Amino acid sequence: MTAIIIDGKQTAASIIEVVKSAAASLKSEAEVKPGLAVVIVGDDPASHAYVGAKSKMAKECGFNSVQHTLPQATTQEELANLVRTLNADASIHGILVQLPLPRHLDSDPIIQSILPEKDVDGLHVVNAGKVAAGDLDSGLVSCTPAGAMVFVRRTHGEDLSGLNAVVIGRSNLFGKPMSLLLLAANATVTTAHSRTKDLPAVCRNADILVAAVGRPGMVKADWVKPGATVIDVGINRVPALDKGEGKFRLVGDVAFAELEKVAGVITPVPGGVGPMTIAMLMANTVIAAYRAVCRVPPKF
């Protein structure tokens, strides 16, 4: 058996096409242009690269894309004031504060101060609570688990009744919302973690296995049921000695070369879940803009 390898870039591109069409329709029919404000504090190169990619994609989608670049010395109150200003700006439908913030800033009160209806990262407790309650129609879902669910739905359909799903990882950012999304689709879900007894045996029961632990190549071939769908959310930098001293490559949480011979469907790293995160951020922004003018948003 050789697994079908999901093309995350292609899937993300299909989401972006829907976003572009929806944004154009909203502008022509309601004279509303989706607005996304991205806030970055400090000089972290990786964060600036991520923000640049998000802002560029927002412009490509036809959004009103606004970027606020704040100095490293920005105070908690200055950042909070900017969020309050963006909350009050009717032309801004989505607000994203790039994490991590510099160490002297407390990210949680900043994230929780964003209006839930503008929280396109899906991190506000109101949005997390709606996912926990199974209300996926009025909240905003965290982007990475939402993107992973697109892969699951396109592989297995909307109804996962009768399928066993295992999520390795219980973080608030991914593991918990991923488990809840699978549960909402009627899967029988196990959330596994570092204290799970006999983790390989638990994983072997999964028709859908999602790995999000941040440990390169942890999931081996003998952990996986033949024909299972494997979603690899890990992004780990490991030394690439074949490329020269000091060089690195990105790998996931699963031993891809092994699992490719056992799984039915698998996501690669890079090029799997990663591209979906920005795509779902754009989708959340369009959804927020539609709701702001009391229109039914498109389904993703």
Side-chain angles (χ1 to χ4, degrees):
M1 177 184 295
T2 301
I4 296 170
I5 300 173
I6 292 176
D7 188 336
K9 292 180 180 179
Q10 186 178 69
T11 306
S14 71
I15 295 291
I16 292 299
E17 287 306 308
V18 177
V19 169
K20 289 179 179 178
S21 176
S25 295
L26 193 63
K27 185 177 179 182
S28 64
E29 295 171 11
E31 297 184 349
V32 172
K33 192 174 187 180
L36 175 64
V38 181
V39 179
I40 183 169
V41 184
D43 306 312
D44 180 70
S47 291
H48 275 272
Y50 292 144
V51 164
K54 292 168 184 175
S55 297
K56 180 182 177 183
M57 183 58 73
K59 290 175 183 175
E60 288 182 14
C61 289
F63 295 178
N64 171 29
S65 178
V66 179
Q67 182 173 323
H68 294 270
T69 304
L70 305 181
Q72 181 81 15
T74 298
T75 66
Q76 189 84 17
E77 186 56 29
E78 287 170 338
L79 182 55
N81 283 337
L82 174 57
V83 171
R84 280 193 285 269
T85 299
L86 295 172
N87 278 338
D89 187 342
S91 71
I92 298 297
H93 304 100
I95 302 170
L96 183 150
V97 177
Q98 182 66 38
L99 301 177
L101 292 172
R103 290 185 179 180
H104 68 282
L105 297 174
D106 189 351
S107 61
D108 192 61
I110 295 298
I111 297 302
Q112 301 309 324
S113 71
I114 298 171
L115 288 175
E117 59 267 31
K118 294 190 178 189
D119 166 43
V120 287
D121 248 350
L123 302 180
H124 195 285
V125 291
V126 169
N127 286 319
K130 287 184 175 183
V131 171
D135 177 6
L136 306 182
D137 293 324
S138 68
L140 292 167
V141 180
S142 183
C143 299
T144 304
M149 277 303 294
V150 171
F151 293 152
V152 172
R153 287 196 301 271
R154 292 190 179 187
T155 301
H156 296 281
E158 297 288 334
D159 187 0
L160 306 180
S161 296
L163 296 178
N164 292 320
V166 173
V167 178
I168 313 174
R170 54 177 171 177
S171 69
N172 290 331
L173 291 178
F174 183 85
K176 289 178 183 176
M178 186 71 210
S179 292
L180 290 164
L181 291 173
L182 288 162
L183 188 63
N186 300 320
T188 300
V189 183
T190 300
T191 304
H193 46 81
S194 60
R195 307 246 177 133
T196 298
K197 184 178 179 180
D198 198 356
L199 181 58
V202 172
C203 293
R204 278 192 288 271
N205 191 46
D207 301 297
I208 301 166
L209 179 61
V210 184
V213 290
R215 293 179 58 185
M218 184 183 82
V219 178
K220 307 300 183 185
D222 61 358
W223 293 31
V224 177
K225 176 193 286 190
T229 295
V230 178
I231 308 294
D232 190 351
V233 187
I235 300 179
N236 310 286
R237 292 179 72 214
V238 299
L241 299 179
D242 57 315
K243 294 184 177 181
E245 188 175 348
K247 299 293 184 179
F248 294 86
R249 64 163 50 90
L250 292 179
V251 300
D253 288 347
V254 312
F256 183 86
E258 292 182 22
L259 267 64
E260 188 183 4
K261 300 171 185 176
V262 178
V265 176
I266 192 169
T267 63
V269 176
V273 174
M276 292 297 291
T277 300
I278 291 181
M280 298 315 293
L281 173 66
M282 300 302 127
N284 274 351
T285 304
V286 158
I287 290 169
Y290 268 70
R291 289 175 180 164
V293 292
C294 300
R295 288 175 176 254
V296 178
K299 290 284 188 182
F300 295 94

